[in-house]
Amino acid sequence: MPKAALVCVGSELLAGQVNTHQAWLSVRLRRAGFDVVGESSVPDEVPAIRRALARALAAADAVIVCGGLGPTFDDLTREAAAAALGRRMSLRPALWKAILQRFARYHLAVPEENKRQAHVIAGAKVLANRAGSAPGQLLRARGRTLVLLPGPPCEMYPMFEGQVLGRLKKTHARGLHPASFSVRLSGVPESAADEMLEPVRARWPQARFTILASGGEVSFHALTVESSDLAARRVRARLRREILDAVSDFAHGEGEETLEHALGERLRRRGLTLAVAESCTGGLLGGRLTAVPGSSTYFLGGVIAYANALKVRSLGVPSRLLSRHGAVSAECAAAMARGARRELGASLGVAVTGIAGPQGGTAEKPVGTVFVAVSGPGRAETVRRLDVIGPRENVRSRAVTSALRLAYDALA
Amino acid sequence: MPKAALVCVGSELLAGQVNTHQAWLSVRLRRAGFDVVGESSVPDEVPAIRRALARALAAADAVIVCGGLGPTFDDLTREAAAAALGRRMSLRPALWKAILQRFARYHLAVPEENKRQAHVIAGAKVLANRAGSAPGQLLRARGRTLVLLPGPPCEMYPMFEGQVLGRLKKTHARGLHPASFSVRLSGVPESAADEMLEPVRARWPQARFTILASGGEVSFHALTVESSDLAARRVRARLRREILDAVSDFAHGEGEETLEHALGERLRRRGLTLAVAESCTGGLLGGRLTAVPGSSTYFLGGVIAYANALKVRSLGVPSRLLSRHGAVSAECAAAMARGARRELGASLGVAVTGIAGPQGGTAEKPVGTVFVAVSGPGRAETVRRLDVIGPRENVRSRAVTSALRLAYDALA
């Protein structure tokens, strides 16, 4: 398998900014059949960038560099890459003209320092940037490919997918046909999913498997490299069948399909609507549901009933139910789900109530105790108790995932 | 300044898992006076880990390694570190006994492979793990310090703060007294904040400054290293005053104080309550407010009025207002804020309505058009229009931050 390495440039990555490029690029490179052998983050300094590039070029066939292509004094990736390859840079008049035109469109004066963005390393192919002013560059040197990409995700993502990935495959993975299949699971712990998939892993010693867990969802990815497109398609179909057979009860989507998207598709297909009632999640369930573009087709809205008075007033939870069972109870969750459905006129009501912590736990209901409930469709009603271990944000994200999963199962 | 380097071990970091250790450790090391000179992520393979450790030890005084201390076959950091230093490992009977006791407490059998976690590199100080079974190790070699930490944040964070950071300061930063000050800003773009702070930067050529922007918030950090504790305290006080003077209109907190926390403090101090009405953010505003433990003191809840019918029914927005001005309008935002306040009985109502995209934009109101409004306290009412550039998630997170800031300003 061809090897890829990542270099992330930017002093902010060594000062508290979370590096999201590493995960994003790794996933895409692996699916294309590359082995991602390492990543390094370096500050905006020419010697550090140059050293990292030289090391990466020695270790991998394709080196992807993000960041440091802006117009300011501390954008030094171009200079460092030219030095690492021992090549010159020169101004490309066409690029400079394009930058001038871009600024003119927004009626802005062009700062002189933007000229730096029109400098290109000898032999580089220029990658157009449709969302910003920094063009990317792609270079071939001693059998390696070096790609320079801008840092902002809205510029980097389309440039990589539209202009880079295909070229990398053609150059380094020609004749290699990756058979790649991913599935996303919910309602199952990572360790249990891992165990269910063990027989599949044992049957495919030549394949590479990855299992990742986050916020109550698990994703599982399988990859083999075949010698023909036909073989790859056959192997993928077999892998897909075996994997889905092993985890069928828990799979909600293939590829990168999120649980909120899968639930939305079930609602849309059946022409149903959904409303939420949230206590400890404070709106995060609605936030996840509306992360899906077009979710207004089936998502009506909901009530954030953080205070108990609102559970009574806005959701019609009987106050004697609250005083008898408490707000964190199966009874209250079910009443909240019914209330959301009834008060908001939806086909399904989904509710969450729990103790997110760090305070508020008791011996009977410790921090992490959460009840999720679904009312509908029709007369159906389900409630589930969770016992989540971990800090406040874990409890809340697990509660949201469980609520989404319960609604998804209600529409099976 | 002493130098620190990070090595993150784990194949999952090169397969899609987001690396959050890098940001977390960088912030803490910088505040302690270390220059973080680089980070690298490597797969679970001895040669790759060993090479990364050797490089880091050549470049930095302190090397922090996370991950690969678990009990399974692919936890190889111990072996790689021993190889990098040319030292032997041996079983520490006391550690093995502690692991046996830990399992006994949970009535679990101890897998034989857990014995690997009781192996310690010659000369290492063992770092106790109160949240898991993998002890950390701290080694001194040729004037450098090498620290091995477990991967899970709930184990790594307390071990680093409780047993590592103080030792690193004592060993490598003795006699260095960092003067460190951070401020968090909202309601101002990063570039404008940068410009306001330029005079401060110019007056302190010996200081290091970092500016980071994320989701509509900006954080600014200043650091100098002084020769005495007294000098450091004085310099910090001066830096603090100068920075706050430069950005006073936009600062909502010092250190790591979030905007939702600062707003909560203002509400709590004045004994006021808050309710929300959300359209395009779908619950994310409530989600942010309730990320603060104890927010139930002032946050009552809200209405997620994703469908227009709910804006009328649950928030009392007049339907002729909707038909005249549209749901994405200053008028609707103000009516939603008033409705949330009135219907939920809160001192303040905060509302968001907008077009998050990618669909739904018009020439007059393109994607990214958002109105945020605050009703209260008393008769006060403010509405603000935002024009956010970027994808759906950007529009939504910027809208939430702007709404929080508008409420914060309403309580000034």
Side-chain angles (χ1 to χ4, degrees), chain A residues 12-14 16 22-23 27 37 39-41 43 55 282-283 286-287 290-291 300-302 304 306-307 310 313 343-344 392 396, chain B residues 13 16 22-23 26-27 37 39-41 43 55 212 282-283 286-287 290-291 300-302 304 306-307 310 313 343-344 392 396:
Chain A
E12 71 279 10
L13 296 170
L14 301 165
Q22 178 178 348
V27 167
V37 295
E39 178 271 351
S40 63
S41 295
R55 274 200 305 265
T290 55
L300 300 182
I304 305 169
Y306 212 57
L310 289 186
R313 187 161 142 188
E343 301 295 325
L344 282 74
R392 185 173 176 86
R396 304 203 319 150
Chain B
L13 297 170
Q22 179 178 347
S26 293
V27 166
V37 296
E39 177 272 352
S40 63
S41 296
R55 273 201 305 265
L212 299 176
T290 56
L300 300 182
I304 305 169
Y306 212 57
L310 290 186
R313 190 161 140 187
E343 299 296 324
L344 282 74
R392 185 173 176 87
R396 303 203 321 150

Side-chain angles (χ1 to χ4, degrees), chain A residues 315-372:
Chain A
L315 292 166
V317 176
S319 16
R320 62 163 198 290
L321 183 153
L322 280 178
S323 52
R324 179 182 266 171
H325 301 284
V328 178
S329 63
E331 291 79 2
C332 183
M336 286 170 67
R338 285 193 298 270
R341 188 183 173 191
R342 185 182 58 237
E343 301 295 325
L344 282 74
S347 329
L348 253 79
V350 184
V352 188
T353 179
I355 303 159
Q359 305 300 317
T362 64
E364 196 202 341
K365 292 171 187 171
V367 167
T369 306
V370 177
F371 293 89
V372 294

Side-chain angles (χ1 to χ4, degrees), chain B residues 59-91:
Chain B
D61 303 288
V63 174
I64 318 294
V65 190
C66 312
L69 297 184
T72 64
F73 71 94
D74 61 351
D75 289 305
L76 298 166
T77 298
R78 279 175 296 260
E79 286 76 359
L85 298 176
R87 295 195 190 170
R88 295 175 151 274
M89 282 203 292
S90 59
L91 182 88

Side-chain angles (χ1 to χ4, degrees), chain A residues 128-187:
Chain A
N129 185 341
R130 288 177 190 95
S133 64
Q137 304 191 28
L138 186 146
L139 296 120
R140 298 273 304 139
R142 280 161 269 146
R144 314 299 206 189
T145 302
L146 176 67
V147 184
L148 314 183
L149 299 173
C154 59
E155 302 177 26
M156 191 272 264
Y157 291 4
M159 193 183 286
F160 181 79
E161 293 194 315
Q163 301 175 72
V164 176
L165 196 55
R167 283 200 178 89
L168 291 180
K169 281 198 239 182
K170 222 189 228 168
T171 309
H172 300 285
R174 187 192 287 276
L176 297 180
H177 300 265
S180 161
F181 179 70
S182 299
V183 66
R184 288 180 68 126
L185 314 172
S186 43

